[in-house]
Amino acid sequence: MNIQIFGKSKCFDTKKAERWFKERRVKFQAVDLKKQGMSLGELSSVKNAVGLASMVDPKHPGAVLMSYLASDQAKLEKLFEDPTLLRTPIVRNGRQATVGYCPEVWEGWT
C-alpha cells in the first residue's frame, strides 16, 4: 500500500485525513499542493478514478471559470497550472483515489 495525501497546509480536512491514517498506523506520504503540486500523470490518474468535476473546489473563486473551458484536457491543464483549484485532500492508493474526507473508502484499503 502506497498512500499519498495531497493537501493544503491550512486545510482542516487534510489534517483530519492525516490523523485518520496515523491513528491506524498506516504510512503515507504527505504532499503540499501549494509547494509541490501534482504532476500531469498524477492528475490524470485521479481524474480517471473520481472524475474531473469532483476534483474542482466549488468554494474557490476561480471554480466558475473552469466551466467555460472547452475540453477536459484544458480543464486538467488549468488544474495543473493552479493546484489551489483542487478540492482537498486528494488521497491516492495506486490507481485508486478519493477527493475529500472519505474514511469509509479508506477503510477498505487498510
Side-chain angles (χ1 to χ4, degrees), residues 33-69:
L33 281 173
K34 289 184 179 180
K35 291 180 183 173
Q36 296 161 317
M38 290 178 87
S39 71
L40 270 175
E42 290 169 330
L43 274 172
S44 295
S45 174
V46 173
K47 178 188 76 106
N48 292 338
V50 299
L52 192 59
S54 64
M55 293 173 62
V56 179
D57 183 1
K59 297 175 187 167
H60 191 282
V64 175
L65 299 175
M66 290 288 290
S67 62
Y68 292 105
L69 295 174

Side-chain angles (χ1 to χ4, degrees), residues 87-98:
R87 188 171 151 224
T88 55
I90 297 173
V91 182
R92 286 186 63 213
N93 180 20
R95 293 181 186 261
Q96 299 173 311
T98 61

Side-chain angles (χ1 to χ4, degrees), residues 70-90:
S71 68
D72 282 355
Q73 186 60 36
K75 292 175 183 178
L76 202 62
E77 288 173 9
K78 180 65 178 169
L79 290 173
F80 177 69
E81 292 168 12
D82 186 5
T84 61
L85 281 165
L86 291 166
R87 188 171 151 224
T88 55
I90 297 173

Side-chain angles (χ1 to χ4, degrees), residues 3 6-7 9-10 14 23 40 43 61 77 80 88 92 106:
I3 303 289
F6 295 88
S9 59
K10 296 188 181 196
T14 299
E23 287 172 353
L40 270 175
L43 274 172
E77 288 173 9
F80 177 69
T88 55
R92 286 186 63 213
W106 306 331

